[in-house]
Structure formats: structure tokens, C-alpha cells
Amino acid sequence: MNTTLDKKSLSERDICTKFITPALEKAGWNKNAQFLEEVYFTVGKIYVRGKLTGRGKGNKADYILYYKSNIPVAIIEAKDNNHTIGAGLQQALRYAAILDIPCVFSSNGDGFAFHDKTATDQNIETELGMDDFPTPEDLWIKYKKYKGIEGTKVEAIAAQDYYLDGSTRKPRYYQQIAINRTVEAIAKGQDRILLVMATGTGKTYTAFQIAYRLWKAKAKKRILFLADRTALIDQTRRGDFKHFRDKMTVIKKKVVEEDGQEKLVSNKKRGIDSSDKAYEIYLGLYQGLTNSDPGIVDAYKDFSADFFDLIIVDECHRGSAKEDSAWREILTYFKNAAHIGLTATPRETKEISNTEYFGEPIFTYSLRQGINDGFLAPYRVIRIGLNVDLDGWRPPKGKLDKEGKLVEDRIYNSRDFDKNIIIEERTDTVARKVTEFLKGYDRFAKTIVFCVDIDHAERMCTALRKHNPDLVAQNYKYVMQITGDNMEGKLELSNFTDPEMSYPVIATTSELMTTGVDAQTCKVIVLDTIINSMTKFKQIIGRGTRINEDFGKLFFTILDFRKATDNFADKEFDGDPIRIKEVKEDEDLSMVVVEEEEDNITVLDEASGEEIKFNKVDIRYPDGRKPGGTWASEPDHTRKKVVVNGVDVSVLMTRELHFDKDGKPITVNLKDYTRETIKEQYASLNDFLSKWNTEDKKYAIIKELEEHGLYVDALLDSVNKELDLFDIICHVAYDQPPLTRKERANNVKKRNYFTKYGEQARNVLEALLDKYADEGITNIESMEVLRINPFDTFGSTVEIVNGIFGGKNNYLSALKELEQELYKSA
């Protein structure tokens, strides 16, 4: 009896289990500590369709090899034995580039193809036998060469273990890269380092692991973490840095009372030694270390200039970017320490520069990357244009303000409103439209309204309370003003950001919440202020990018009243919106997001080419309620503003704004833009027809066009929603006369081609034809359609496919023929 194993019959996983894993263990790799199999290093992009969400597939490596925990040195892509040894090398190289790994392997069980990024000769790619896989020490040597790690002292620091708290938490792949690059750079003597990581990607956790490894290796014995807000210090102390325990202290501004009055004094004057060496980790505010009183020595000078070995500067785009700032003085004083700058938004202007001080970023993880990897929430944009903003407002002759004074005769625009002049009806209209939206979406969705200044935030708070009297009556904290001057509001900031707390729900603010606020469940951001700074814009958008799946926070919505989202078109912005919708005159915002009411839909994942199923977002609140029904600083301007009322303010849009695939505004007519986009892909009608008729799933063509900037939904709205997209494309791009979906369906029925099928199969195909006439081609291409009415009356999906059509291949063949009949007239 022949018991020889036939490799060709084995699956890819069998090849891993029977050949690759034993080869690794034979080479000395510890299966429990040094390599992981089927490693998902991204979690899959979140897709949004109305109120439905679904995840695409994450990136998965077959093997990642680690010299020590979180220090990856190699990646292996496995294939079954019907592939060549090197068939997986290209995919492995792509993953290795993402993961910053130098040694890349591919195997089919016969041997290993090895791509060595450290090689400088013809040996960059070689083949190895199954018994010749390199040892951990072999690949560690190559890793050190790749990273430029030389000398035992540098190696000891670079190999220092991460902090592991016994939980399942470990650094994500991009955090791992940021940590390793920073530790290795400091080990080699680099003393100015900039890390750029999008808001919500875990900068503080990354900073903690850097600090811990350098501290544990005794490379940096005393470390200062600097931030510009008390909330950030408190979050850091109670959060990621809590593991330092009794080794950590917070430096506070010292105030004493003299003659009944509080007075700021230096620590030394009070006889206090701030440089108590019992502590090794110090957290401090910039403001707590610098004094505005010129007669008092700055608090940071209580420490010797050589006291700190490492200073980590959080949100370094703020004070430390400016050469003459008081914050920079601290860094200059402790110039012998290594300085690490953390920011989501580096500042580069003629006067201010992060890179000039810290150097080019050692690592960048952008908003776009975070969204594509599935670690950050995507967003959609709804733009509301008010008539006074779009057309400007000129006071009628003799118009008086509320104090009875004559209003200056000139044209006021959106840059004036709430800064120089207040139109009470405008504030009321914004509050009304925000309320409309929440009523249609979720009245308990955490919402931040960004206003021009504190005064505007106060008035907006009042207006929103007026439009939400039922919920304000239940709890006055439903709407809160959270600004720098409002102590009651500031005390509620932690409740607003706490997912377990229902109130406040709506927060109006100006500058206080633009940065450093970890609002995990913020689902709506309202922009009612002009934003000229890309740094500020990114920070504001960052308030919504965090994901909290437990509370149904998978995406967020931006309501833009002042065209602030024009910044999406700026070359400096790195994350495209998933949808931008203009609100037309008198459109009810409560209906804007109700686009699909199905329990689920299925679409193609652009990354993997596989179908993903969308489910309704499952939202919960701390007290168990479900949405629906009623449960559904910039310094203030010192000059007095003109306040007027009696002005007609309404929603008015002169044109719809769309963005192309590069995030740039489309300035031509939508039909002209569509024609240009299609002809870029298909030069002639024959080219398009050939692609359309040979593609198994038409959705793939539609998805490809969308990825090239075609706005399918907007195109259907602007031409005729009764038309097939096929006809719209042929009509708009190639001047062909269009047919409606019903006309195409009737043409098929007239041909009587169904007679070749049995009665049950004919009934199913006729139902598919009717479904096409009502909803379009993409809805009948998914097997999910067989689960819904009227198909469920024919039996289950399995019964229809196997019992009526004799198997999946036969069903798909019949569906393909039906599609050919639909487009035969073309």
C-alpha cells in the first residue's frame, strides 16, 4: 500500500503545518515565543452605506518571525505545492515594506525563496532548502545590519523588551515601527526625533513604550513628558503611563498665599527641592514650568540643566514649533537631553517649523493610512449652505441693530458672521438643522459643535436648547457649553468623553476641544466656523476618528456650514471623505442619512476583491436605551459685535460640490466630468461594451469607476434614477439613446427565452428580472438576494441553487445568460 504523501493535493495550510513550521523549529525558532502564523496586522477598512457598516478584509501574513517580542525580523508567505517556491515573494515584499522587515521568504514546501534587503550583490534573492532556513541569530545579524545597529551597547538598548501587562494588548504594527525606530535612533545617538501619527492612533501608548524601554535599558534614567493641557497630563498619568507607578510624579505650578493673596513663587524660594531624585518619570505642563511674572524664576530652572535625559513633547505642533516661544525655552534649557516630538499635524510655515527643530519625521502614520487599515473611523460630509453665507447679506437702508444703532452699509459674508456681526436667525437656523439631523440619525449621538468664539458657543448652546426642549427638560446637560471660560462646562468634559456617560450629548465649543480630547464615541462634528489652518482642521477632524465598536461608533458625520471641508481638497490633507452630500433648499436633514433600510447589503471589498456583508450599526447606551424617538482658546474678541435680527435666513445651494479621486473639487459640470472620467478608462464605446459584457460581475466595473472618481449616486440623481447605470454611461459618454431598466426587462420578456428552463427556474429568473427593473443590476448579482422576498417563497438559498438549478455553477450560468439578454440590444 502506497502511503507517500502527495504534496500537490495539500492545501496551503497543510504545507505550513507539515513542512514550513517544522523547518522553522529545526532552525531553532521557538514556536511559542518567536513566530506567529496567520497574523492579521490590519483589521480591515470600515465601509459605510447609509446607516449600515461593514469591514473589508485585513492584511494577513502567513508567518512573522520575531527575534524578541515586537521586534520582527522576517516574514514568510506560504503557497500550496502547485505554485513555485517564489510565487509568494511579491506579496511578502509588499507586506515587508509596510512592516519595516528586512528578510522576506516564500515557500511552497519544497524550499524557500529568500529576498535579503541587506544584500548589496547578486545574492539579494536566493533559494534555500527546507533544512537550510536561517537561525534566529542569523536573521538578527541581518536586522542589525539593516537598521545600522553596531556595538554591544547600542544592541542592548535596541533589544530591550517591551512592557507587557499580562493582557492581550500589544502594539499595533505601526506603533511597533514607531517605537523600534525611535529606540534604535536614540541608541545610536540621535537626540532630536519627530513622530507624526494621526489623532486616535495611540501616540501616548507609543510614547510610553519608548520611555519604558529606554528607562529599563538604563539608557535614559530621568524622563520628562510635556503637554500643554491638564487634561492631557491627567489622561497620561491615569492611562498608559500608570505602569510607572511610584516612579512617576506630576510637576505642578506652585502657589502660596501672602497677605491673603495667592502668589506664584519658585520652588526654591519655598525651600522645596523639585529635583527629588526619588522620581524618575516626570509629567508636566508647559505652563506649569514657565512663569509670566518676570520677577520670578521659571519653575523649570529649579532643575539642573542636565537633570533630564529624555523629554517627550506631546502635541509639539503647538508651542515647541515656534522658535521664540516660552515652551521652546524649556527645550533649549534641557538641550543635552534627547527630545522626541509627537504630533498628528506638524507645522511648517515661514515662521514656525517642527522639522527645523526635530528634523524630518522618523515615522509617519497618516489619517488616510489609519482609515484604510481599519484602525480609524471613516467619515462622510454633509454641507449646508445658508443664503446669507453664499450670497452675502447687505443690510436694508436704515437697518438698525438691537441697540438701535445704524448698521454699517456693506456686504457681510460668512467670515463676518459671529465675528463682527451676529444674525440671530442664522444661529437659530444652524441649531434647527443640527437638530433635524440628529432626529433622523440618533438624538443621543455625541456631537461637538465648533463655533467662532466663546460668545458664539454660548449663543449656539442656547439655540440648541430651544430646539430640543423635550430632552433638555429631562436633563439640562443634554446641551452644554464647554469652553475655556466656563467652569461648569469644563467640569463636564470628562463626562462628555466617557463612553459610559450619557450626558452631555451636544457640546458647543470654540478652541477648548480642538485637540487633546479623547472623544471615543463622538459621532457628529458640526463646523460653524471658518478654518484657515490645516493644522487646526486636522485636529478638529481627529475628534471623530476614534472607533468604539462596543457603542456602535464605527464612523462619524461632519455637518459643514462654512465650507470648512474645502480643506479636504488641500494637498496637505491626507484622508478623503467617504461621501460628500450637498443639502438642497428646504431639505429635511432628518432624512439625509436614511439611505438604506435593508437589514443588510453586500458589496465588493476593494482591497481583497471579496464580498463583505453590511449590518446595521448596533448602538447601545450605558442605561440600555436604544436610539429612536426622543431617545433616538482663541482669546475672545474684545470689540463689541453688532447684533441684528429680522433677517431671512434659509438653506440655499447654488451648486453641488463633489470631489475627484484625489480629493480635489470638481469644477466642471458633473456630466462633463463623468464623460472625461469614463473616456480615460474606455476610449471608445466598443472598449466599454467589451469590458461590460465580459466582466462576471458588473459591480466590479462600477467599483472601478468609483475608485477613479465617478459619483454613481450623484450621476443617477442628475440624469434619471430609472435608468440603468449602463445606459447612463453609454448616453453621457458616448451619446447613445438610453433605455430605462423596465424597458430592458420588458425586452427580455418579449423574447421568451425563459422557455428553455423548467417552471420553477423560470419563476426565479422572472423574479430576478423584476428585481433588476426595480433596483438595478448590482442587487441581483449577490447570492444574498435569494434570501429576501419573493425568493424566500421558492425555498432557502441552498434549495433554490441546488434543488431548482442543479448547483451553484448552473445558477451562476443562468444569471450570466440573463445579464447577456438584458444588454443584448447594445
Side-chain angles (χ1 to χ4, degrees), residues 163 165 169 204-205 208 225 227 229-246 248-250 252 281-285 490-499 501 516-520:
Y163 178 84
D165 60 6
R169 186 182 187 186
T204 308
Y205 178 66
F208 163 72
F225 181 91
R229 294 190 179 179
T230 301
L232 292 175
I233 292 295
D234 290 341
Q235 283 177 200
T236 302
R237 178 177 57 83
R238 296 193 310 268
D240 295 312
F241 274 59
K242 66 184 177 184
H243 306 294
F244 283 120
R245 298 184 178 88
D246 58 349
M248 176 174 58
T249 187
V250 177
K252 297 180 179 178
I281 311 298
Y282 293 76
L283 309 178
L285 290 174
K490 284 196 292 185
L491 291 174
E492 292 297 327
L493 181 56
S494 61
N495 289 332
F496 179 83
T497 58
D498 186 348
M501 300 298 292
V517 176
D518 188 11
Q520 297 178 25

Side-chain angles (χ1 to χ4, degrees), residues 781-799:
E781 289 188 328
S782 170
M783 300 285 282
E784 294 292 323
V785 74
L786 300 179
R787 298 177 183 271
I788 62 177
N789 187 56
F791 302 98
D792 54 358
T793 62
F794 303 130
S796 68
T797 300
V798 173
E799 289 171 336

Side-chain angles (χ1 to χ4, degrees), residues 808-823:
K808 184 176 180 181
N809 289 337
N810 288 341
Y811 171 77
L812 293 177
S813 176
L815 180 62
K816 179 72 173 176
E817 188 175 359
L818 175 62
E819 291 185 352
Q820 290 172 345
E821 289 293 322
L822 278 169
Y823 300 110

Side-chain angles (χ1 to χ4, degrees), residues 539-559:
Q539 290 289 340
I540 287 175
I541 297 306
R543 299 314 101 209
T545 55
R546 287 168 175 79
I547 291 172
N548 189 317
E549 298 197 40
D550 290 341
F551 286 86
K553 165 62 187 304
L554 295 169
F555 66 97
F556 67 105
T557 303
I558 301 169
L559 302 182

Side-chain angles (χ1 to χ4, degrees), residues 199 344-345 534-542 572-574:
T199 300
T345 51
M534 180 57 68
T535 297
K536 181 178 177 182
F537 181 69
K538 286 184 177 181
Q539 290 289 340
I540 287 175
I541 297 306
E572 294 181 29
F573 194 80
D574 59 359

